[in-house]
Amino acid sequence: MESSAVAECLRDKCILITGSTGYLGKLLLEKILRVQPAVKKLYLLVRAPDAMSAEQRVLSEVIGKDPFNLLREKYGITGFQNFIKEKVVPLAGDIMASHLGLDNARVDALSEEIDVILNVAATTSFYERLIP
């Protein structure tokens, strides 16, 4: 499949991404925003106790990093910030928790809106068992 066909599949889609604070997650997020700026929304599930902490974590650990330099150059600082606010929605949660750590109302709303789920989350413990 051509990469342009993949990018076109993401046009006007709402995507939930887990693991966006990790190495691969950052690269995936940047690539989607760069090759398909017409993506509708990117929901980023991040381990955080509340919405404000999730937003701060995304801004400092993801959006503020070097992979996003090309987008910052393309849009300028203000344009980049506006673009990110329009497209990226941090979600405070946890991949290991029931319903991703989200309340039932949020899960119901997201289940109606999300078109694609991209799971790039991983454990950060070197002592995890391979088979539970």
Side-chain angles (χ1 to χ4, degrees):
M1 180 179 273
E2 294 289 323
S3 60
S4 60
V6 173
E8 193 55 36
C9 287
L10 300 177
R11 176 181 294 279
D12 296 320
K13 298 290 193 255
C14 289
I15 303 169
L16 171 66
I17 301 176
T18 66
S20 63
T21 59
Y23 179 77
L24 291 177
K26 284 181 193 68
L27 296 178
L28 174 65
L29 176 62
E30 187 279 337
K31 180 78 170 195
I32 291 170
L33 290 170
R34 186 167 35 85
V35 302
Q36 187 45 274
V39 66
K40 189 173 183 180
K41 288 280 182 205
L42 293 160
Y43 290 93
L44 308 181
L45 184 74
V46 295
R47 201 174 305 126
D50 55 49
M52 188 181 300
S53 299
E55 182 175 355
Q56 184 56 42
R57 192 159 179 223
V58 166
L59 291 174
S60 65
E61 295 180 31
V62 181
I63 302 301
K65 298 300 183 183
D66 287 345
F68 294 86
N69 287 345
L70 285 174
L71 288 171
R72 271 190 281 283
E73 289 174 19
K74 178 180 178 178
Y75 291 103
I77 296 298
T78 303
F80 174 72
Q81 290 170 341
N82 291 337
F83 179 64
I84 294 300
K85 283 181 186 175
E86 177 188 337
K87 302 292 180 180
V88 175
V89 180
L91 295 173
D94 189 335
I95 190 77
M96 298 297 291
S98 175
H99 292 121
L100 304 175
L102 304 171
D103 63 53
N104 288 337
R106 186 66 160 167
V107 170
D108 290 343
L110 287 171
S111 69
E112 295 293 321
E113 190 175 358
I114 299 295
D115 300 300
V116 178
I117 298 173
L118 300 172
N119 180 20
V120 291
T123 183
T124 56
S125 171
F126 292 106
Y127 301 105
E128 293 288 334
R129 292 181 52 177
L130 292 177
I131 300 172

